[in-house]
Amino acid sequence: MRAASRPPSPTLPHKGEGSPLWTPLLIAIAIALVAWLALVPLGFMLWQSVLSPETASSAARFTLDNYRTAYASADTARLLANSLKFALGSAALAFSLGTLLAWINERTDTPFKPLFFALTLVPLIIPGILFTVSWIFLGSPKIGIVNLVLQRIFATDTVFINIYSMPGMIWVDGLHYSPMAFLLMTAAFRAMDPALEESAMMSGATLPRILWRVTIRLASPATAAALLILFVRALESFEVPALLGLPVGIEVYTSAIYDAIHAYPSEIGLASAYGVALLVITSLCVFLNLRIVGRGSRYATVTGKGFRPRVMRIGRWRYVTAAVFLIYVLLVVVLPFLVLLWSSLQRFYSVPTLAALKNLTLDSYRTVFAYPAIGTAVWNSIVLALGSATLIMLATSILCWIVVRTKLPGRALLDNLASLSLVFPGLVLGLAIMVCYLALPIGVYGTIWIMLIAYVTRFMPYGMRYNAASLLQVHKELEESAAMSGASLATTFGRIVLPLLKPGLIAGWIYIVIVSIRELASSILLYSPGTEVVSVTIWEMWQNGQYVELSALGVMMILVLFCFVMLAEFFGRRFGMVEA
Amino acid sequence: MLSVKSLHTDYAAAGGAVVKAVQDVSFDVPDGELFTLLGPSGCGKTTTLRSIAGLERPRSGSIALDGRVVYSSEKNIFVAPNRRNFGMVFQSYAIWPHMNVFKNVAFPLEVRKARPSRREIEQKVMRVLATVQLADLVDRDATKLSGGQQQRLALARALVMEPQLLLLDEPLSNLDAKLREAMRFELKRMQRDLGLTTIYVTHDQSEALALSHEIAVMSEGRIVQIGSPRDIYERPRNKFVADFVGSTNFIGGRVASAAAGNGRCGVATALGELNVQCVEALAKDAPVVISVRPEDVELYEAAPPREDGDNVCTGVVEAKVFLGDYLDFQVKVGDSVLLARVHPSLRTPVGHPIHVRMRAEKCVALAESSASRVAA
């Protein structure tokens, strides 16, 4: 690649004539803002980790006991091993599934691709708690439908699958987050020149070899970014370890933190000490990623030449790839949804039988509509999701540009700061923000703004990754030619960079809208009467044992969000993919 | 007139080492002329061009156009690229894929401080599109253009801003051979018609020879020779230039008789003593290399007429390659092999003896040590 032999160059104006004064100012503001969002919770977590529990009789005091309990007990190694096993397994499963599906969808002539695309995204909109509950209905050793069916067929009492196990946890979590890998890798595939794959085909390589030797390698900055996100997210995963691991004593960091917070008296210090362990692991990942991004120009596969995306004709393999999609959709969409739908039509949960078929009722739906504050919760969820997604994507596009394109001092710091909240489990972030704004008298506490702050802080790293992945794929000369045309930095950004980032912006925006609506761990600590969101309502129902009502609300939520994804995908294809 | 004075640029390579990309580069380009920076990849030609554009900030030196200083390390002046009003065509063309042909070209006008009226923009865009013969494709998506059309679009976008200086970064390197040749003529015609001062960067010597008023050959960050195309080709100052610009035969030897008044000298070589052209004064016994272009190695089946100063010897045809409009012969003379480019009518079979004539003014003696010498 000729561009690789070019020296790296500063594209920002320097001092002297024509240097806009607002540039350094903007960067200073960006750093200050990001530092505020990311560092305040971090500071609070560290502060908490060296305090003893506060009770009615004794005030908090300085102690290192939390660290002793967290790192020097017999459970330390087991907890770490469990967490890594779970996170690695889940990330690997999600990534393999997501990449395979993304490639099939973007590069082959498999039939019904648009339908498969939309269906693949469905698990993203299912809140973790719903997905986990539906797999409990399916895979529990006692009431799991899969077990019951297999036992009926083979006339035996053997338990075929047990969802309450490490493989069960990895299965549910990896399956649930494979659409995230799918979205990340789709963006990477869309930004890649198909001629590179075609030349591998001409060299006599078979399809799997092309996928493994060329496609994945070329997408390696995006691949590394995707793996990083998946791994860190699995470490943060809360619902699956809490619902599947805790009943059988498999603890990971998040469920340990949850246990600590819910102990009496609440052991926030111990929870924070566990949080520090997560922080060390995830910081390492962010550092690795920064190094990958640093040598990204080698992989700039989009140039101004503008190629046309082409798909490979894979002949009879089309039926195999279509079957892969079908089985996948069955596992992540159809079965979980059907089991929820079944449950929502019952008065009390029972296994599907002909007898139970007679008791179908819509009572649970009536109960949901009569549920207190359901309207407020829906409205709040929508406002928060749209607001945080728009804010994050626009802000991080600027931050990313500074990090990837300029040679400014402090850009690595900016990237680290903006990615820092990746290290916060939702529970700890929620707690830190809660106490922080309780202490700061700026009138945020108890309003919807505190939740917006939490969402923006929590999901900003995703915006950074989406924008970085697509910015790395945009050739620098496209910006330089705007400068040579006389465009200022701001004009270049608005008229060249943003439109070129559009596929990534839209993908990231959709993703953040969805995870915001799904968000539970932070919201659960930050909501007050009047600022509930839908996921909190579902959590309350689970706590109350209202399984059929939970299923009814879940079914409606999934249907609405499904329509949203269809619409977003439609508009994405119409307006966003000119250059992809 | 563009005037570049002792430009130095370096940048940090991976691992912290400092790479001296451009060292002490100076040249002047008179108004309306096309000036080419020629050299192999990594020689600093693109860095020089980008420094003129303002996309790269040199370490020291100065750049001025018609007396307007756009960069000077001494006076601490650096004009941002978007304030220089230089048009540039990038190697990748950098056509914005999210805009159609019209919008790509209109962009430089739209982002101006004093933005022209909508009608004026349309007129200007259409005029320049007509110049590059893209007027019928005005509504086409930029990504749906062929390579040659994209190249012309990039040129139109650079021309529409009526730049004071046009910068071309290997604009033809992404085109196929036939198109490249056609575009070469078109570029030359347009440049001469518009009278636009132009800096052209290329690694293709035939492009440089065909287009330029003047050529600077660069190697390892320095300019090794500046001259007219004919100068560069016929009077290379050193081995690097002779080798890089066109193909050539090198014959090693020592100066046998020093230069007479006519700039000739005698050189003892494996082919015998040759009469050659001396560009600089050479001492007796100094080691030299003689450069002879293949088309200047004339072949005859019968002994050729020998005029004063001609070098004549005989050899054997070792191999030949038919290339359509000419033939390449490899002729073995003694132990050395000469490459000769001749008219295809010569049909001497391989293995047969043949006469060789090289005119003295076509043989250029180059001091062995001058390979790294910098042209004044």
Side-chain angles (χ1 to χ4, degrees), chain A residues 101-128:
Chain A
L101 296 173
W103 180 77
I104 291 176
N105 189 54
E106 290 299 318
R107 284 287 187 272
T108 68
D109 58 345
T110 303
F112 308 118
K113 282 197 303 191
L115 178 68
F116 284 137
F117 185 94
L119 286 175
T120 304
L121 297 183
V122 170
L124 272 177
I125 65 185
I126 305 179

mmCIF file of all heavy atoms in Angstrom, chain A residues 101-128:
data_model
loop_
_atom_site.group_PDB
_atom_site.id
_atom_site.type_symbol
_atom_site.label_atom_id
_atom_site.label_comp_id
_atom_site.label_asym_id
_atom_site.label_seq_id
_atom_site.Cartn_x
_atom_site.Cartn_y
_atom_site.Cartn_z
ATOM 1 N N LEU A 101 -22.084 -14.643 10.983
ATOM 2 C CA LEU A 101 -23.361 -14.136 10.468
ATOM 3 C C LEU A 101 -23.163 -12.840 9.683
ATOM 4 O O LEU A 101 -23.792 -12.627 8.649
ATOM 5 C CB LEU A 101 -24.340 -13.916 11.622
ATOM 6 C CG LEU A 101 -24.730 -15.190 12.377
ATOM 7 C CD1 LEU A 101 -25.554 -14.851 13.600
ATOM 8 C CD2 LEU A 101 -25.495 -16.142 11.470
ATOM 9 N N ALA A 102 -22.268 -11.978 10.172
ATOM 10 C CA ALA A 102 -22.028 -10.714 9.470
ATOM 11 C C ALA A 102 -21.466 -10.979 8.087
ATOM 12 O O ALA A 102 -21.852 -10.351 7.102
ATOM 13 C CB ALA A 102 -21.064 -9.839 10.277
ATOM 14 N N TRP A 103 -20.548 -11.927 8.023
ATOM 15 C CA TRP A 103 -19.952 -12.245 6.725
ATOM 16 C C TRP A 103 -21.004 -12.829 5.778
ATOM 17 O O TRP A 103 -21.099 -12.436 4.620
ATOM 18 C CB TRP A 103 -18.791 -13.215 6.899
ATOM 19 C CG TRP A 103 -18.149 -13.576 5.610
ATOM 20 C CD1 TRP A 103 -17.281 -12.813 4.876
ATOM 21 C CD2 TRP A 103 -18.350 -14.774 4.866
ATOM 22 N NE1 TRP A 103 -16.932 -13.461 3.727
ATOM 23 C CE2 TRP A 103 -17.566 -14.667 3.687
ATOM 24 C CE3 TRP A 103 -19.106 -15.920 5.075
ATOM 25 C CZ2 TRP A 103 -17.525 -15.664 2.736
ATOM 26 C CZ3 TRP A 103 -19.067 -16.917 4.122
ATOM 27 C CH2 TRP A 103 -18.277 -16.790 2.957
ATOM 28 N N ILE A 104 -21.783 -13.756 6.283
ATOM 29 C CA ILE A 104 -22.839 -14.343 5.449
ATOM 30 C C ILE A 104 -23.768 -13.245 4.941
ATOM 31 O O ILE A 104 -24.132 -13.204 3.769
ATOM 32 C CB ILE A 104 -23.654 -15.389 6.253
ATOM 33 C CG1 ILE A 104 -22.801 -16.619 6.546
ATOM 34 C CG2 ILE A 104 -24.905 -15.802 5.489
ATOM 35 C CD1 ILE A 104 -23.500 -17.652 7.420
ATOM 36 N N ASN A 105 -24.103 -12.315 5.821
ATOM 37 C CA ASN A 105 -25.070 -11.285 5.470
ATOM 38 C C ASN A 105 -24.505 -10.259 4.498
ATOM 39 O O ASN A 105 -25.202 -9.776 3.616
ATOM 40 C CB ASN A 105 -25.562 -10.583 6.732
ATOM 41 C CG ASN A 105 -26.712 -9.665 6.436
ATOM 42 O OD1 ASN A 105 -27.711 -10.079 5.863
ATOM 43 N ND2 ASN A 105 -26.559 -8.407 6.784
ATOM 44 N N GLU A 106 -23.225 -9.909 4.655
ATOM 45 C CA GLU A 106 -22.664 -8.830 3.842
ATOM 46 C C GLU A 106 -22.034 -9.322 2.552
ATOM 47 O O GLU A 106 -21.915 -8.575 1.600
ATOM 48 C CB GLU A 106 -21.605 -8.064 4.642
ATOM 49 C CG GLU A 106 -22.175 -7.242 5.781
ATOM 50 C CD GLU A 106 -23.146 -6.179 5.283
ATOM 51 O OE1 GLU A 106 -22.854 -5.540 4.257
ATOM 52 O OE2 GLU A 106 -24.197 -6.013 5.920
ATOM 53 N N ARG A 107 -21.566 -10.568 2.533
ATOM 54 C CA ARG A 107 -20.697 -10.967 1.440
ATOM 55 C C ARG A 107 -21.201 -12.133 0.603
ATOM 56 O O ARG A 107 -20.559 -12.505 -0.361
ATOM 57 C CB ARG A 107 -19.311 -11.341 1.992
ATOM 58 C CG ARG A 107 -18.465 -10.148 2.374
ATOM 59 C CD ARG A 107 -17.948 -9.435 1.135
ATOM 60 N NE ARG A 107 -17.013 -8.406 1.491
ATOM 61 C CZ ARG A 107 -17.357 -7.171 1.773
ATOM 62 N NH1 ARG A 107 -18.623 -6.807 1.722
ATOM 63 N NH2 ARG A 107 -16.450 -6.281 2.094
ATOM 64 N N THR A 108 -22.293 -12.743 0.997
ATOM 65 C CA THR A 108 -22.758 -13.885 0.214
ATOM 66 C C THR A 108 -24.153 -13.603 -0.329
ATOM 67 O O THR A 108 -24.820 -12.662 0.093
ATOM 68 C CB THR A 108 -22.816 -15.175 1.053
ATOM 69 O OG1 THR A 108 -23.847 -15.027 2.026
ATOM 70 C CG2 THR A 108 -21.499 -15.439 1.750
ATOM 71 N N ASP A 109 -24.575 -14.445 -1.259
ATOM 72 C CA ASP A 109 -25.895 -14.253 -1.871
ATOM 73 C C ASP A 109 -26.935 -15.147 -1.215
ATOM 74 O O ASP A 109 -27.826 -15.675 -1.868
ATOM 75 C CB ASP A 109 -25.827 -14.499 -3.384
ATOM 76 C CG ASP A 109 -25.323 -15.894 -3.714
ATOM 77 O OD1 ASP A 109 -24.775 -16.549 -2.808
ATOM 78 O OD2 ASP A 109 -25.484 -16.321 -4.864
ATOM 79 N N THR A 110 -26.791 -15.340 0.099
ATOM 80 C CA THR A 110 -27.788 -16.090 0.863
ATOM 81 C C THR A 110 -29.169 -15.451 0.703
ATOM 82 O O THR A 110 -29.276 -14.228 0.753
ATOM 83 C CB THR A 110 -27.391 -16.088 2.349
ATOM 84 O OG1 THR A 110 -26.088 -16.637 2.462
ATOM 85 C CG2 THR A 110 -28.360 -16.896 3.186
ATOM 86 N N PRO A 111 -30.204 -16.259 0.490
ATOM 87 C CA PRO A 111 -31.549 -15.673 0.319
ATOM 88 C C PRO A 111 -32.095 -15.065 1.617
ATOM 89 O O PRO A 111 -31.662 -15.433 2.708
ATOM 90 C CB PRO A 111 -32.396 -16.866 -0.130
ATOM 91 C CG PRO A 111 -31.645 -18.075 0.304
ATOM 92 C CD PRO A 111 -30.200 -17.713 0.292
ATOM 93 N N PHE A 112 -33.011 -14.161 1.489
ATOM 94 C CA PHE A 112 -33.735 -13.511 2.598
ATOM 95 C C PHE A 112 -32.820 -12.760 3.556
ATOM 96 O O PHE A 112 -33.078 -12.716 4.751
ATOM 97 C CB PHE A 112 -34.564 -14.544 3.392
ATOM 98 C CG PHE A 112 -35.453 -15.384 2.543
ATOM 99 C CD1 PHE A 112 -35.296 -16.752 2.480
ATOM 100 C CD2 PHE A 112 -36.442 -14.781 1.782
ATOM 101 C CE1 PHE A 112 -36.107 -17.526 1.665
ATOM 102 C CE2 PHE A 112 -37.269 -15.546 0.982
ATOM 103 C CZ PHE A 112 -37.101 -16.918 0.922
ATOM 104 N N LYS A 113 -31.744 -12.167 3.039
ATOM 105 C CA LYS A 113 -30.796 -11.499 3.934
ATOM 106 C C LYS A 113 -31.412 -10.358 4.743
ATOM 107 O O LYS A 113 -31.161 -10.256 5.940
ATOM 108 C CB LYS A 113 -29.578 -11.002 3.148
ATOM 109 C CG LYS A 113 -28.607 -12.093 2.828
ATOM 110 C CD LYS A 113 -27.263 -11.560 2.437
ATOM 111 C CE LYS A 113 -27.393 -10.622 1.272
ATOM 112 N NZ LYS A 113 -26.072 -10.293 0.718
ATOM 113 N N PRO A 114 -32.218 -9.469 4.106
ATOM 114 C CA PRO A 114 -32.764 -8.350 4.902
ATOM 115 C C PRO A 114 -33.573 -8.838 6.088
ATOM 116 O O PRO A 114 -33.470 -8.289 7.188
ATOM 117 C CB PRO A 114 -33.656 -7.604 3.899
ATOM 118 C CG PRO A 114 -33.151 -8.000 2.563
ATOM 119 C CD PRO A 114 -32.628 -9.388 2.709
ATOM 120 N N LEU A 115 -34.343 -9.927 5.882
ATOM 121 C CA LEU A 115 -35.140 -10.483 6.970
ATOM 122 C C LEU A 115 -34.227 -11.010 8.076
ATOM 123 O O LEU A 115 -34.416 -10.715 9.255
ATOM 124 C CB LEU A 115 -36.022 -11.609 6.425
ATOM 125 C CG LEU A 115 -36.875 -12.315 7.476
ATOM 126 C CD1 LEU A 115 -37.941 -11.374 7.999
ATOM 127 C CD2 LEU A 115 -37.515 -13.565 6.881
ATOM 128 N N PHE A 116 -33.190 -11.768 7.667
ATOM 129 C CA PHE A 116 -32.262 -12.312 8.642
ATOM 130 C C PHE A 116 -31.567 -11.203 9.412
ATOM 131 O O PHE A 116 -31.355 -11.295 10.617
ATOM 132 C CB PHE A 116 -31.210 -13.193 7.949
ATOM 133 C CG PHE A 116 -31.738 -14.537 7.541
ATOM 134 C CD1 PHE A 116 -31.432 -15.085 6.314
ATOM 135 C CD2 PHE A 116 -32.534 -15.259 8.418
ATOM 136 C CE1 PHE A 116 -31.910 -16.323 5.948
ATOM 137 C CE2 PHE A 116 -33.021 -16.503 8.059
ATOM 138 C CZ PHE A 116 -32.716 -17.033 6.827
ATOM 139 N N PHE A 117 -31.211 -10.134 8.687
ATOM 140 C CA PHE A 117 -30.512 -9.022 9.342
ATOM 141 C C PHE A 117 -31.360 -8.490 10.492
ATOM 142 O O PHE A 117 -30.890 -8.353 11.623
ATOM 143 C CB PHE A 117 -30.231 -7.915 8.327
ATOM 144 C CG PHE A 117 -29.420 -6.785 8.890
ATOM 145 C CD1 PHE A 117 -28.028 -6.765 8.760
ATOM 146 C CD2 PHE A 117 -30.026 -5.729 9.549
ATOM 147 C CE1 PHE A 117 -27.277 -5.743 9.284
ATOM 148 C CE2 PHE A 117 -29.267 -4.691 10.074
ATOM 149 C CZ PHE A 117 -27.893 -4.701 9.939
ATOM 150 N N ALA A 118 -32.615 -8.199 10.201
ATOM 151 C CA ALA A 118 -33.492 -7.642 11.229
ATOM 152 C C ALA A 118 -33.672 -8.631 12.374
ATOM 153 O O ALA A 118 -33.604 -8.261 13.546
ATOM 154 C CB ALA A 118 -34.832 -7.274 10.625
ATOM 155 N N LEU A 119 -33.862 -9.910 12.046
ATOM 156 C CA LEU A 119 -34.097 -10.919 13.082
ATOM 157 C C LEU A 119 -32.865 -11.087 13.980
ATOM 158 O O LEU A 119 -32.981 -11.302 15.178
ATOM 159 C CB LEU A 119 -34.466 -12.255 12.434
ATOM 160 C CG LEU A 119 -35.881 -12.316 11.858
ATOM 161 C CD1 LEU A 119 -36.102 -13.625 11.126
ATOM 162 C CD2 LEU A 119 -36.924 -12.148 12.962
ATOM 163 N N THR A 120 -31.675 -10.965 13.357
ATOM 164 C CA THR A 120 -30.452 -11.138 14.122
ATOM 165 C C THR A 120 -30.303 -10.075 15.202
ATOM 166 O O THR A 120 -29.697 -10.307 16.234
ATOM 167 C CB THR A 120 -29.244 -11.095 13.166
ATOM 168 O OG1 THR A 120 -29.436 -12.090 12.172
ATOM 169 C CG2 THR A 120 -27.957 -11.373 13.897
ATOM 170 N N LEU A 121 -30.862 -8.881 14.933
ATOM 171 C CA LEU A 121 -30.712 -7.812 15.905
ATOM 172 C C LEU A 121 -31.701 -7.921 17.066
ATOM 173 O O LEU A 121 -31.572 -7.210 18.050
ATOM 174 C CB LEU A 121 -30.898 -6.454 15.208
ATOM 175 C CG LEU A 121 -29.859 -6.146 14.142
ATOM 176 C CD1 LEU A 121 -30.086 -4.761 13.560
ATOM 177 C CD2 LEU A 121 -28.465 -6.236 14.720
ATOM 178 N N VAL A 122 -32.677 -8.812 16.930
ATOM 179 C CA VAL A 122 -33.716 -8.879 17.954
ATOM 180 C C VAL A 122 -33.181 -9.128 19.361
ATOM 181 O O VAL A 122 -33.588 -8.454 20.302
ATOM 182 C CB VAL A 122 -34.792 -9.912 17.561
ATOM 183 C CG1 VAL A 122 -35.738 -10.157 18.719
ATOM 184 C CG2 VAL A 122 -35.564 -9.408 16.351
ATOM 185 N N PRO A 123 -32.222 -10.083 19.546
ATOM 186 C CA PRO A 123 -31.760 -10.324 20.917
ATOM 187 C C PRO A 123 -31.202 -9.073 21.585
ATOM 188 O O PRO A 123 -31.237 -8.959 22.811
ATOM 189 C CB PRO A 123 -30.656 -11.372 20.737
ATOM 190 C CG PRO A 123 -30.973 -12.038 19.460
ATOM 191 C CD PRO A 123 -31.598 -10.993 18.589
ATOM 192 N N LEU A 124 -30.689 -8.121 20.767
ATOM 193 C CA LEU A 124 -30.152 -6.885 21.339
ATOM 194 C C LEU A 124 -31.227 -6.116 22.089
ATOM 195 O O LEU A 124 -30.939 -5.400 23.035
ATOM 196 C CB LEU A 124 -29.633 -5.982 20.215
ATOM 197 C CG LEU A 124 -28.207 -6.174 19.766
ATOM 198 C CD1 LEU A 124 -27.918 -5.243 18.618
ATOM 199 C CD2 LEU A 124 -27.265 -5.886 20.918
ATOM 200 N N ILE A 125 -32.461 -6.225 21.626
ATOM 201 C CA ILE A 125 -33.513 -5.413 22.230
ATOM 202 C C ILE A 125 -34.196 -6.153 23.364
ATOM 203 O O ILE A 125 -34.974 -5.583 24.092
ATOM 204 C CB ILE A 125 -34.571 -5.005 21.177
ATOM 205 C CG1 ILE A 125 -35.292 -6.246 20.654
ATOM 206 C CG2 ILE A 125 -33.924 -4.232 20.066
ATOM 207 C CD1 ILE A 125 -36.250 -5.940 19.552
ATOM 208 N N ILE A 126 -33.861 -7.435 23.532
ATOM 209 C CA ILE A 126 -34.437 -8.170 24.650
ATOM 210 C C ILE A 126 -33.596 -7.871 25.882
ATOM 211 O O ILE A 126 -32.407 -8.180 25.893
ATOM 212 C CB ILE A 126 -34.446 -9.685 24.381
ATOM 213 C CG1 ILE A 126 -35.163 -9.962 23.052
ATOM 214 C CG2 ILE A 126 -35.115 -10.425 25.528
ATOM 215 C CD1 ILE A 126 -35.212 -11.425 22.692
ATOM 216 N N PRO A 127 -34.157 -7.279 26.913
ATOM 217 C CA PRO A 127 -33.368 -7.016 28.119
ATOM 218 C C PRO A 127 -32.795 -8.323 28.644
ATOM 219 O O PRO A 127 -33.436 -9.379 28.542
ATOM 220 C CB PRO A 127 -34.391 -6.431 29.093
ATOM 221 C CG PRO A 127 -35.464 -5.876 28.231
ATOM 222 C CD PRO A 127 -35.513 -6.743 27.020
ATOM 223 N N GLY A 128 -31.587 -8.250 29.203
ATOM 224 C CA GLY A 128 -30.906 -9.444 29.678
ATOM 225 C C GLY A 128 -31.764 -10.267 30.603
ATOM 226 O O GLY A 128 -31.763 -11.507 30.537
#
